[in-house]
Amino acid sequence: MRAYLRMVSGIDNAIGRFIKALEAKGLADNTIIVLWSDHGWKLGEYNGWGKMSNYEIDTRVPFIIATPGMKSAGQSTDTPVELLDIFPTICDLTGIRTPDFVQGTSLIPLLKNPSATPNRVAHSQYYRNHDGAEYMGYAMRTATHRFVEWREFGTGKVTARELYDHRQNHSETANVIDTAPEALVESLTSRLLKT
């Protein structure tokens, strides 16, 4: 754990040196900075070490966009976004037309108003082999819930579902799928299948 935390401190220090160098060269007011990580990491939580799950601890990442002239600088949002949103956002910030094949959605509206609550979701998926059977877990994080469906790899048959209510429990330790309102589960299932 100490080595991991030391590495994080080292990266933080390197970012600080990078920003100071931009300022010293007079480039800070003409540079867009995007900082992100590709995945989260467990340090013993849930009896796991490393990454690889569909849960918040592995899918939530540091994600910072700093762009000159943005009046909302320094503000944060709890709105779910995806790393796929980086490319169209950079295109919009630089005035480059976003190619048609690009997935994701520009985050410019959210950058301009971090307190907005657009109906956005973030998706993830993770492969699991259990007792020789292969499954793909498809997850969707809304502003209030994480919904996961596990499907047989070959047939697509749903074998398990999970629902975590982030309004009550951010640690995703209580699967409420059996007690959740049916309308909520149906709505989440429909939205997950649209992706």
Side-chain angles (χ1 to χ4, degrees):
M1 267 190 203
R2 280 191 307 222
Y4 183 84
L5 296 174
R6 183 173 184 216
M7 185 248 340
V8 171
S9 293
I11 291 170
D12 186 47
N13 183 287
I15 292 167
R17 289 193 328 263
F18 172 74
I19 291 171
K20 284 182 182 176
L22 284 175
E23 291 169 347
K25 300 255 183 207
L27 300 172
D29 291 335
N30 192 26
T31 302
I32 298 168
I33 299 172
V34 182
L35 172 71
W36 77 95
S37 172
D38 62 340
H39 54 76
W41 196 264
K42 290 184 290 296
L43 294 172
E45 298 90 348
Y46 310 102
N47 294 320
W49 291 88
K51 57 180 180 175
M52 300 302 180
S53 78
N54 272 322
Y55 307 113
E56 190 85 2
I57 197 162
D58 287 330
T59 60
R60 185 179 179 104
V61 300
F63 187 19
I64 300 169
I65 298 176
T67 185
M70 190 61 65
K71 293 179 181 173
S72 61
Q75 296 183 38
S76 64
T77 182
D78 289 327
T79 300
V81 298
E82 298 179 304
L83 298 180
L84 289 171
D85 300 328
I86 295 172
F87 192 86
T89 303
I90 296 292
C91 287
D92 278 358
L93 287 171
T94 57
I96 297 171
R97 187 180 87 59
T98 304
D100 295 335
F101 62 83
V102 171
Q103 296 180 20
T105 306
S106 175
L107 298 174
I108 295 289
L110 198 54
L111 287 172
K112 289 182 177 178
N113 183 7
S115 62
T117 54
N119 192 13
R120 294 181 55 97
V121 296
H123 297 91
S124 61
Q125 69 182 64
Y126 178 66
Y127 166 84
R128 177 172 69 186
N129 185 318
H130 182 69
D131 292 334
E134 297 178 299
Y135 302 93
M136 184 61 75
Y138 298 94
M140 180 177 65
R141 176 68 155 87
T142 71
T144 56
H145 293 84
R146 176 175 301 279
F147 178 63
V148 184
E149 276 191 347
W150 289 97
R151 295 176 172 264
E152 287 181 346
F153 202 72
T155 67
K157 176 185 172 191
V158 175
T159 59
R161 295 188 305 172
E162 301 172 54
L163 179 63
Y164 301 96
D165 187 341
H166 278 261
R167 297 169 301 179
Q168 305 297 322
N169 181 352
H170 282 294
S171 63
E172 298 181 341
T173 55
N175 181 1
V176 297
I177 193 74
D178 293 330
T179 58
E182 188 174 326
L184 172 64
V185 175
E186 287 176 4
S187 170
L188 292 169
T189 299
S190 174
R191 189 159 189 188
L192 180 67
L193 293 175
K194 286 182 183 176
T195 58

